[in-house]
Amino acid sequence: MRLSAKHLLWLKGAVHLTAILPIILLILSVVSGSAGGDPVEYIIHYTGVGALNTLVVLLMLSPLARYFKQGALIQLRRPIGLYVFAYASLHILAFLAFDLLFEWSLFLQEVVKRPYIVVGALGYIILIALSVTSFKFIKRKMGKRWQQLHNFVYLVALLVPIHFYWSVKSEVIEPSIYFVIMGLLLSLRIPKSDKILSSISRMKLKWNNS
Ligand code: HEM
């Protein structure tokens, strides 16, 4: 069964709801005082992990669309990609506002003290470029170069787990899990694995038809 325009509309609604609801819950937990002993750290962690999880969902879209032969799923790429950017922006804004109190002179000191910020900033610069060029008319104008630029999302998929791993002091299991997930998703981009995925999908189709 191919996804209809109506299904896609429902899916888009579900994407918006799943992305916005956690932000409402975050605001409620901060306001009600249930955001732990250090609400600033809580917000930075929550929004950072939110951006990373959304990035995982974004990278899963193409393999899922190919496996289930549902090309329409690709239309969810733009809203999900923009939510990665939105979460990352909230994460950085929380750091600048609550940790640095917008004291720009402190930013350099922080970078020296926490060099993993440079890795995160590099990822964020790429996310800005991808978001700004996500409009249809820019895509048309850029032609082939658009895809070349948007392949940089795979670099972001490596930079963010490095940023995460480097930022934590003791707990390394969570960032390590993200390395494994990103490694798997990136390996699906290797042409040979594309063929494997398509063959599995063809085998599944034959199985269903027999
Ligand atoms: C200028 C850019 C960035 C800055 C200044 C920044 C800042 C920070 C800081 C200060 C922490 C550590 C919080 C702590 O010590 O508990 C952190 C952790 C983290 N950041 Fe970023 N970040 C940036 C970019 C990004 C981007 C682009 C993403 C995702 C797309 C991201 C995702 C994360 C994640 C997942 C963590 C680990 C969460 C935690 O355990 O606290 N960051 N970041």
Side-chain angles (χ1 to χ4, degrees), residues 104-157:
W104 299 105
S105 54
L106 286 181
F107 189 73
L108 261 184
Q109 289 175 32
E110 281 298 315
V111 171
V112 174
K113 213 164 72 187
R114 316 189 210 186
Y116 61 83
I117 286 178
V118 177
V119 181
L122 206 64
Y124 190 62
I125 290 167
I126 298 173
L127 285 179
I128 295 176
L130 302 187
S131 305
V132 168
T133 56
S134 71
F135 297 94
K136 265 191 187 142
F137 74 97
I138 297 185
K139 185 177 180 180
R140 241 178 280 129
K141 261 194 176 167
M142 285 181 74
K144 259 188 176 172
R145 282 176 305 144
W146 189 87
Q147 192 53 58
Q148 285 165 355
L149 174 68
H150 280 252
N151 283 343
F152 275 88
V153 72
Y154 298 107
L155 181 58
V156 180

Side-chain angles (χ1 to χ4, degrees), residues 41 45 48 51 91-92 95 114 116-117 120-121 160 163-164 169:
E41 201 183 308
H45 177 85
H91 169 72
I92 293 162
F95 170 68
R114 316 189 210 186
Y116 61 83
I117 286 178
V160 179
H163 170 73
F164 189 174
K169 287 102 202 165

